[in-house]
Amino acid sequence: MGLLDQEILLRLIEERVGDENIVWLLQLIVKSFKKGIPLGNVTSQIFANIYLNELDQFIKRTLKINYYIRYCDDFVILSENKKDLENLIPVINSFLQINLRLMLHPSKISIRKYYQGIDFLGYVSFPHHRVLRVKTGKRMFKKIESKIAELESGNIEEKSFNQTLWSYYGMLKHCDSYKLGERLVNFMICSIKKSID
């Protein structure tokens, strides 16, 4: 969507936070960056939610859309009517531009039939199951191979390596990925054997 406008964000914070000291502290955090919000900072998700709550309210209350899901700046709208979805694109884009100084990213808009799967947050969700996005799986194993090389060269400790493996294993628990899980477990077994030897 682009960078959040600091002035709009600060206005929204002032409208919702009653404590002047907290408002002052949040202003300090926001203004510590030239543009947008501090990514990676603990506050970034909170700021994004305060900012994009305006979009949530517009979609739910003004447009009366029942099936809407958002996480940070990614969102999905479900409808039985393709034309309705197509008509929503300029309406939502116009709201974002006028009210939040944001725009929908044209290459990230897609209208798909439910049986083709909904690509959202690293997973592809189908009516009765969910799989890991292919790109996410490839990126995961590339990262693991890189971590193995770092472990073998002594650049990271075994604890750090195992934390990476367990975090990916946790990610796989949320989808149907038996083969990927098996492959990940094999990595873990090899890691444990090396530590014992």
Side-chain angles (χ1 to χ4, degrees), residues 5-54:
D5 185 282
Q6 289 185 349
E7 296 307 317
I8 294 174
L9 175 60
L10 291 172
R11 176 178 53 79
L12 293 171
I13 287 170
E14 285 175 19
E15 287 173 5
R16 283 163 179 75
V17 178
D19 189 307
E20 289 179 15
N21 292 324
I22 293 174
V23 171
W24 172 82
L25 181 59
L26 294 176
Q27 284 175 340
L28 212 61
I29 294 167
V30 171
K31 290 292 186 183
S32 67
F33 286 77
K34 289 181 180 178
K35 290 183 177 180
I37 58 172
L39 294 176
N41 190 308
V42 179
T43 58
S44 60
Q45 284 187 349
I46 295 167
F47 289 154
N49 279 330
I50 290 170
Y51 202 85
L52 291 174
N53 179 59
E54 301 300 301

Side-chain angles (χ1 to χ4, degrees), residues 79-91 111:
S79 173
E80 293 179 353
N81 190 316
K82 182 182 177 183
K83 193 70 185 162
D84 286 350
L85 291 172
E86 289 170 349
N87 291 338
L88 282 174
I89 295 168
V91 173
I111 297 176

Side-chain angles (χ1 to χ4, degrees), residues 13 34 38 47 88 100 118 122 126 130 149 166 169 174 188:
I13 287 170
K34 289 181 180 178
F47 289 154
L88 282 174
L100 299 174
I118 298 169
F126 296 90
R130 180 171 49 234
W166 282 109
Y169 183 69
H174 297 287
M188 294 166 84

Side-chain angles (χ1 to χ4, degrees), residues 139-157:
R139 197 165 45 242
M140 177 178 75
F141 282 103
K142 193 173 180 180
K143 179 85 171 175
I144 291 170
E145 286 169 9
S146 167
K147 288 284 184 182
I148 288 171
E150 286 183 68
L151 179 67
E152 288 172 350
S153 66
N155 290 337
I156 61 167
E157 292 183 16

Side-chain angles (χ1 to χ4, degrees), residues 52-68:
L52 291 174
N53 179 59
E54 301 300 301
L55 174 65
D56 298 341
Q57 299 308 315
F58 175 70
I59 288 176
K60 298 292 272 181
R61 296 180 192 273
T62 306
L63 299 180
K64 308 285 187 198
I65 293 170
N66 293 321
Y67 304 106
Y68 164 74

Side-chain angles (χ1 to χ4, degrees), residues 111-168:
I111 297 176
R112 301 166 57 97
K113 292 185 166 77
Y114 76 96
Y115 61 80
Q116 294 173 306
I118 298 169
D119 189 341
F120 188 58
L121 305 178
Y123 300 97
V124 180
S125 296
F126 296 90
H128 303 291
H129 72 288
R130 180 171 49 234
V131 296
L132 195 68
R133 184 192 292 154
V134 173
K135 276 186 187 176
T136 306
K138 286 180 179 176
R139 197 165 45 242
M140 177 178 75
F141 282 103
K142 193 173 180 180
K143 179 85 171 175
I144 291 170
E145 286 169 9
S146 167
K147 288 284 184 182
I148 288 171
E150 286 183 68
L151 179 67
E152 288 172 350
S153 66
N155 290 337
I156 61 167
E157 292 183 16
E158 187 181 333
K159 183 180 178 182
S160 171
F161 175 71
N162 288 334
Q163 284 172 340
T164 301
L165 287 180
W166 282 109
S167 69
Y168 284 130

